[in-house]
Amino acid sequence: MRFCGSAIRRTLLASSLPARQPPDPLTDPLVAVEARGQCLPGIQAGIEAMTLRQDHASDPAAIDRWLSVAHRLADLSGKAILPYFRQSIAVEDKSGGKSFDPVTAADRAAEAAIRSELARALPEHGVLGEEMDDTVTASPYRWIIDPLDGTTNYSHGMPPFSVSIAYERDGQVEVGVIFDPSHDELFVAQRGAGATLNGRPIHVSGVAILRRALVATGFPYEPERVPLALGQFAAFASRAQAVRRIGS
């Protein structure tokens, strides 16, 4: 899926970044890659993340509760996804023929599991999901879910894929959770309080020289944007230690 996973990943990245000014896209060699001003997705996410607010949530006890809920939702979704993995499963296109946007029974089963638990435990909270209609409430609290982030990989029997969940309060994301059930890896972040992988603190790479950096990227779904992305890929491939395009 390509719905909210990237936004949640930006929340994770923002939580692991030190407070600093974002790089200047006109002068920074890692950013000034493309003349039209559109950076590679991963770099653009980093720039946006650096501008996010770093202040802590005002109610740590409440945030701990939402983190616990997010853990449970991720676990439920992971358990819904794995039984379908590398099994014969129908893949549908929900794009209407514009570009292939896959969806499977696993996507729907995972979102149903998450929504069922939220309806039981927190019926007053809103839900913004990938596969089903939004649950709109008067509450300032909302859960944003991508039940299977990486359906293309998943439908071909190839990791990685994940469950992406965010908790939002008054329009601001407070907690982000990404669970990769194929590797049993749980990434967790709280706004302004750092990020962890399976409970251990993580941070962005300390590599400061592009020649020694391993760069990860992806290609756009829109066919008309692929040539530009290929040019960017080539530019980095000749300057970085290596470039990986694992995709999702």
Side-chain angles (χ1 to χ4, degrees), residues 118-142:
L118 285 173
R120 183 195 68 79
L122 300 165
E124 71 280 11
H125 285 206
V127 181
L128 173 62
E130 172 89 20
E131 310 303 341
M132 303 177 186
D133 292 339
D134 298 348
T135 300
V136 180
T137 70
S139 168
Y141 309 119
R142 183 169 70 162

Side-chain angles (χ1 to χ4, degrees), residues 84 128 140 171 184:
Y84 294 93
L128 173 62
D184 196 26

Side-chain angles (χ1 to χ4, degrees), residues 1-71:
M1 288 299 134
R2 46 186 146 121
F3 169 60
C4 60
S6 60
I8 297 170
R9 282 191 289 272
R10 286 197 292 273
T11 301
L12 286 166
L13 178 59
S15 298
S16 62
L17 285 169
R20 54 162 288 193
Q21 293 297 315
D24 185 343
L26 297 179
T27 61
D28 192 304
L30 290 178
V31 178
V33 177
E34 197 261 292
R36 299 182 191 178
Q38 293 182 342
C39 303
L40 286 172
I43 294 176
Q44 182 64 48
I47 295 171
E48 294 172 7
M50 291 177 195
T51 66
L52 294 178
R53 293 173 58 195
Q54 296 293 311
D55 54 310
H56 291 261
S58 58
D59 190 348
I63 292 298
D64 286 345
R65 181 190 180 196
W66 307 139
L67 280 169
S68 177
V69 171
H71 290 182

Side-chain angles (χ1 to χ4, degrees), residues 4 13 58 78-79 83 93 113 134 146 184 186 190 200 222 233:
C4 60
L13 178 59
S58 58
K79 288 177 179 177
D93 179 12
D134 298 348
D146 190 341
D184 196 26
L186 180 67
Q190 176 186 336
R200 300 181 61 180
E222 298 83 2
F233 187 95

Side-chain angles (χ1 to χ4, degrees), residues 172-235:
Q172 180 166 257
V173 173
E174 299 285 357
V175 167
V177 170
I178 294 177
F179 179 50
D180 177 356
S182 65
H183 296 100
D184 196 26
E185 291 185 335
L186 180 67
F187 298 84
V188 177
Q190 176 186 336
R191 182 174 56 86
T196 62
L197 167 56
N198 290 346
R200 300 181 61 180
I202 57 175
H203 53 79
V204 296
S205 171
V207 176
I209 301 173
L210 182 57
R211 176 57 65 186
R212 297 180 182 175
L214 176 64
V215 178
T217 187
F219 292 152
Y221 287 89
E222 298 83 2
E224 65 274 12
R225 296 177 59 198
V226 171
L228 175 61
L230 287 172
Q232 295 173 332
F233 187 95

Side-chain angles (χ1 to χ4, degrees), residues 51-169:
T51 66
L52 294 178
R53 293 173 58 195
Q54 296 293 311
D55 54 310
H56 291 261
S58 58
D59 190 348
I63 292 298
D64 286 345
R65 181 190 180 196
W66 307 139
L67 280 169
S68 177
V69 171
H71 290 182
R72 186 164 72 251
L73 296 176
D75 182 63
L76 285 171
S77 188
K79 288 177 179 177
I81 288 171
L82 283 180
Y84 294 93
F85 187 50
R86 291 177 177 163
Q87 304 299 315
S88 178
I89 184 171
V91 181
E92 304 171 28
D93 179 12
K94 63 177 185 177
S95 71
K98 297 178 182 178
S99 62
F100 190 69
D101 188 4
V103 61
T104 69
D107 297 78
R108 298 189 176 105
E111 182 160 333
I114 292 174
R115 286 178 176 272
S116 176
E117 177 61 15
L118 285 173
R120 183 195 68 79
L122 300 165
E124 71 280 11
H125 285 206
V127 181
L128 173 62
E130 172 89 20
E131 310 303 341
M132 303 177 186
D133 292 339
D134 298 348
T135 300
V136 180
T137 70
S139 168
Y141 309 119
R142 183 169 70 162
W143 294 86
I144 306 170
I145 56 178
D146 190 341
L148 178 45
D149 189 4
T151 303
T152 297
N153 277 8
Y154 181 89
S155 63
H156 288 277
M158 173 184 168
F161 50 86
S162 65
V163 181
S164 297
I165 300 172
Y167 161 71
E168 180 185 77
R169 181 177 64 181

